[in-house]
Amino acid sequence: MAETYTGTGPIPKPTPETKPFWEAAKRHQLVIQRCNDCRQHYFYPRPLCPHCLSRNVEWTQVSGRGRLHTFVINHRPPRNFPVPAPFIIGIVELDEGPRLMSNIVGVAADPNAVRCDMPVEVVFEDVTDEISLPKFRPLTA
Ligand SMILES: [Zn+2]
């Protein structure tokens, strides 16, 4: 499921809070946190459940499937971020609930080809020996 990385943008630097996320991404698994008290998933990574403030939380693998909540097609990458344009920046709502921002790949960066609510699945781009980026592509099957 790996795709060739074509960008030359900044590489994420894992922090103590995000390290499990990036370690799993390297294994091409999408993990987010879930609260053991109220059982809700959440993202971005943090040591406290945003729903009930419990610290009894754990990392758990999720399906990697969701829907495209919203998106923008960027025709002009920021300076010092020379990725091929146009590209799609999307907010994906995972089947488990939380939303995360990523790139939408495997579809033309064309408003006629991308639509809100389209089903998507995660795909990983290997960037360095340590970092793989979770991105999302239209779910075909
Ligand atoms: Zn909770």
Side-chain angles (χ1 to χ4, degrees):
M1 251 209 314
E3 295 197 351
T4 307
Y5 184 64
T6 51
T8 52
I11 307 298
K13 292 190 179 74
T15 65
E17 286 78 22
T18 64
K19 198 161 175 260
F21 178 84
W22 294 115
E23 285 175 349
K26 192 68 237 173
R27 301 189 304 268
H28 291 190
Q29 293 175 342
L30 186 66
V31 300
I32 63 174
Q33 286 168 296
R34 183 178 57 196
C35 175
N36 286 320
D37 287 335
C38 74
R39 306 306 295 173
Q40 295 191 75
H41 290 87
Y42 64 91
F43 188 85
Y44 58 89
R46 64 206 111 157
L48 216 66
C49 170
H51 305 289
C52 74
L53 303 182
S54 171
R55 286 186 183 277
N56 182 15
V57 300
E58 68 177 356
W59 288 91
T60 180
Q61 187 173 0
V62 290
S63 65
R65 294 186 174 187
R67 289 183 179 276
L68 183 57
H69 176 68
T70 190
F71 67 95
V72 65
I73 297 174
N74 191 336
H75 292 266
R76 231 177 108 173
R79 210 181 293 177
N80 302 326
F81 202 112
V83 295
F87 60 95
I88 308 166
I89 302 167
I91 293 183
V92 170
E93 184 168 300
L94 298 172
D95 284 352
E96 291 80 6
R99 293 173 180 170
L100 53 86
M101 190 182 294
S102 183
N103 289 124
I104 308 302
V105 297
V107 60
D110 177 332
N112 294 313
V114 189
R115 61 176 174 80
C116 290
D117 230 28
M118 67 193 281
V120 293
E121 66 179 353
V122 72
V123 60
F124 292 90
E125 283 188 6
D126 297 323
V127 181
T128 68
D129 287 344
E130 286 80 36
I131 295 293
S132 296
L133 297 176
K135 300 192 173 185
F136 289 82
R137 68 181 176 194
L139 182 61
T140 49

